[in-house]
Amino acid sequence: MRNLRWYIGGLLGIGVVINFLDRTNISVAGSQMAESYGWSNVQLGVLYSAFFWTYALLQIPVGVLLDKIGVKWILRTCMTLWALATIGTSFMGGMSGVIVMRMILGAAEAPAFPASAKATGNWFPLHERGLATSMFEGAAKFANVIGIGICVWSITHWGWRGAFIVTGVINLLYAIVFWLFYRDPAEHSKLSREEREYIENNGSRVASQMEGSTYQNLLLLFGNRKVWGLSIGFASYGYTLYLFLTWLPSYMTKQLHLSLATGGWYTVIPWIVATITEIAIGGWLVDHLIRKGRNPSKVRKGILIIGMLFGVFVLLEPTTVNPNLEVAFLSIALGGLAFAASVSWSIPSIIAPQGMVGTVGSIMNFFAQLMGVAAPVITGYIIDKTGSYNSAFGLAGIILIIGILCFTFLLGDLKQIPSRPDGSAQNPGLDHGTEKASG
């Protein structure tokens, strides 16, 4: 049996790395841009959040399109557009121009995560879903490991504009690779019959289109407790993630008084930890425990809650001014949140009614990206008012506690949501809540 599905998983993971370079570049370049144009922290926070205005707004429409059209053509088109928007940012001469480019970028990158979740559901059986999901979710953390270095190097040589030119060219090269190599399982000429049968017979969500009207399907999902528990819980993770993603480089240089290069290295450490924990715990350990016969719902829920609890370590940030301790607390928090996020992204392909994986993933991601709009601006406001990042970290910890409660009590067992009024699923033979371990 050929393992083509793992090459596809790797391709999706590389795509997310590329995708997140476009979020890293603005956070690293932001301080230089603010100094050049005399922007306040609130203005810088608005600039950081501009990407998420369109990114969040288009999440649900994009999810519906993914379920109607499929992954391939939507990602092909959007990847090309987001590469051009990244390069275009380097030619802007003020805040308004940069904001427009960031909004175009956000719109173009809106399908990235829902599409990866849908593609993973199509290509991977349930007992491999944890590791497969961690490949693209963990890539978001790894992007910061390499992205910070790439952007610092580019800024050192060509100023802040260099960060956008270099990452934009990398985006464009990947778009070409994706056009050439990605296909859905049903149309991939290199997928062997043996591997196709293995995928389809072990719980894969074979690519299918959404049935029924979009309005009725959205009413079904928004009226479901599981969707709300998943969405609010994931939004709490999103708030802390985007606080770290946008303000961590500035925190290292301004509050800890480290140089750009030293602060860059200190910033990288938590993201390295997050990459490792996401793949090792959110990926390998989840699949290992399920293959050993443990209850899949309890395994995923348990690891999800543990990861979120580690995230609450962010509350300890204000208790020390020692950079080494600061980085240790950040590493624990981000490491836990990373493997919690990996589990979260595997849930849409488990609980969604048949043909609605993309929509459930987009609803979940929509609420998380609203936090991407809020976190940078709220943090900038707190810094301007208090002169410190401490209250911003405290607020993030409180929001995480709310998310833990939603994951615990609203989400419930990880079973497929019925898609008919009588409570039956469209595919009654596939019970995600009682999946059998196989390997």
Side-chain angles (χ1 to χ4, degrees), residues 267-280:
T267 303
V268 160
I269 292 171
W271 295 111
I272 292 174
V273 173
T275 303
I276 295 169
T277 59
E278 182 136 24
I279 294 173

Side-chain angles (χ1 to χ4, degrees), residues 186-201:
E187 59 180 8
H188 209 299
S189 61
K190 294 186 178 180
L191 180 63
S192 67
R193 185 177 67 179
E194 182 183 6
E195 186 174 6
R196 185 190 304 276
E197 291 175 353
Y198 173 76
I199 292 170
E200 293 178 358
N201 293 336

Side-chain angles (χ1 to χ4, degrees), residues 108 133 394:
T133 302

Side-chain angles (χ1 to χ4, degrees), residues 96-119:
S96 58
V98 176
I99 284 178
V100 169
M101 286 295 105
R102 296 301 292 180
M103 290 175 66
I104 294 172
L105 180 67
E109 293 196 356
F113 269 76
S116 295
K118 185 175 179 70

Side-chain angles (χ1 to χ4, degrees), residues 219-408:
L219 280 181
L220 169 72
L221 295 177
F222 276 109
N224 189 275
R225 172 175 76 99
K226 292 182 184 296
V227 174
W228 281 108
L230 176 62
S231 299
I232 298 173
F234 194 64
S236 73
Y237 151 81
Y239 186 92
T240 304
L241 173 69
Y242 292 121
L243 166 61
F244 288 167
L245 191 64
T246 54
W247 283 104
L248 207 52
S250 175
Y251 169 71
M252 293 293 178
T253 56
K254 291 184 177 179
Q255 182 152 321
L256 300 187
H257 306 293
L258 303 173
S259 68
L260 179 63
T262 304
W265 283 112
Y266 271 83
T267 303
V268 160
I269 292 171
W271 295 111
I272 292 174
V273 173
T275 303
I276 295 169
T277 59
E278 182 136 24
I279 294 173
I281 300 175
W284 178 84
L285 182 61
V286 168
D287 288 347
H288 174 74
L289 292 174
I290 292 173
R291 281 196 298 268
K292 289 293 185 181
R294 302 292 180 87
N295 181 284
S297 179
K298 290 182 178 179
V299 167
R300 291 190 172 102
K301 279 287 295 291
I303 289 179
L304 174 60
I305 299 302
I306 290 170
M308 293 290 287
L309 287 170
F310 276 122
V312 180
F313 266 74
V314 71
L315 289 173
L316 296 180
E317 280 299 304
T319 65
T320 180
V321 293
N322 184 316
N324 294 324
L325 276 178
E326 297 269 9
V327 169
F329 293 148
L330 285 170
S331 297
I332 293 170
L334 196 51
L337 291 174
F339 64 78
S342 183
V343 174
S344 297
W345 271 111
S346 70
I347 292 174
S349 64
I350 296 171
I351 70 170
Q354 189 71 12
M356 299 188 205
V357 176
T359 306
V360 172
S362 292
I363 291 171
M364 172 182 107
N365 208 31
F366 166 72
F367 286 98
Q369 303 318 312
L370 288 181
M371 297 300 100
V373 174
V377 178
I378 292 172
T379 303
Y381 177 81
I382 290 172
I383 296 167
D384 275 349
K385 286 295 182 181
T386 66
S388 169
Y389 291 71
N390 292 345
S391 296
F393 288 127
L395 177 60
I398 293 170
I399 291 172
L400 283 173
I401 292 170
I402 295 171
I404 291 169
L405 294 175
C406 290
F407 275 140
T408 303

